[in-house]
Amino acid sequence: MPRTTAARRAAERRRRLRRSATVGALALVTVGAGVVVAVRDGAVPAVSARCTAEAGGDEHTLTADRAAVAALITARARARGLPPRAATIAIATAVQESGLRNLAYGDRDSLGLFQQRPSQGWGTPEQVQDPLYATDAFYDGLVEVEGYEGLDVTVAAQEVQRSGFPTAYADHEPEARALASALTGYSPAALVCRLPEVEPTGEPQVPGDDGLLPRARVVVEEAAAQLGEDLVAAGDPGAAPPGAVLERVHGEDEAGVRDGWALAHWAVARAVGTDVVEVATDGRRWSRGEAAWVEDPAAPGPGVVRVTVAG
């Protein structure tokens, strides 16, 4: 007998999950002062991956893929030495233009996160669909806007974008502000993600000549490209294999603690693509299944970041 519609749908969901979940072993990476991040060897099914950013008592929930884009956008602001306001403006703009998605289509020749038009001088189609390039191009325009830090978000965004809907950016300011505040470290323990666990592949990773496991190397390379942060192997903390833990120490002063939380939140938000499984800093720890920052006496202190990656 033919299967019922419900049975067919359930089978299709299982097939999609199998296709989307590349699994791996656990590895630990320390990425910044007082922060520890864990990464898994494989991709996470995006269908059940959610993140939450909190600001002023309000929570803003979004998919993990969108949180990862917000992390990249904020990372580029930090790498360029721009204030959190710049990240708020950029995130609000990308939410309005693309829903924080790297679109391969748009109005006329608009493409990418910010729906930039090659015909208007933003770059080639390939360039504007590169999230790093597109984000830097947006900031290149923003810093030319005199006094943008003091302008309303929608006014500053419109000066860069020249949109046909100039007031729409304001609708996304609360969400953008919450994400930017967490991802710049001004709101400690304010961004969490609940991500599915990743099953082991049965094929252990082997450290390279640099002492890093392959999945840990992905985190190191992303941090360098997006944040301009150098992460180093922290050694074996006990449970994780060598080359799985990365560390970054920023210092215990106010700026160091803030930088530590910025890096920790970045690692959490990027975990959906890098298989980070745990992040720790400032006496607190995040892991995939908890969706919370919990106090942990084994976590690094203020200004130190530790990241754990699946091996």
Side-chain angles (χ1 to χ4, degrees), residues 280-307:
T281 189
D282 199 9
R284 288 185 253 190
R285 171 183 52 79
W286 167 88
S287 60
R288 282 178 168 264
E290 291 178 302
W293 286 95
V294 298
E295 293 186 3
D296 184 350
V304 178
V305 179
R306 190 187 314 149
V307 178

Side-chain angles (χ1 to χ4, degrees), residues 13 17 64 68 73-74 118 136 153 158 163 171 174 178 193 200 231 280 307:
R13 283 196 297 270
L17 285 173
I73 290 172
T74 307
D136 279 337
V153 165
Q158 176 64 3
S163 168
D171 296 341
C193 297
L231 307 182
V307 178

Side-chain angles (χ1 to χ4, degrees), residues 82-117:
L82 301 179
R85 185 66 170 176
T88 296
I89 295 167
I91 292 172
T93 302
V95 173
Q96 171 61 27
E97 296 291 354
S98 68
L100 290 173
R101 295 172 295 161
N102 190 24
L103 299 179
Y105 59 87
D107 179 45
R108 288 170 283 189
D109 61 334
S110 300
L111 297 166
L113 296 178
F114 296 92
Q115 290 291 277
Q116 294 156 333
R117 298 183 60 191

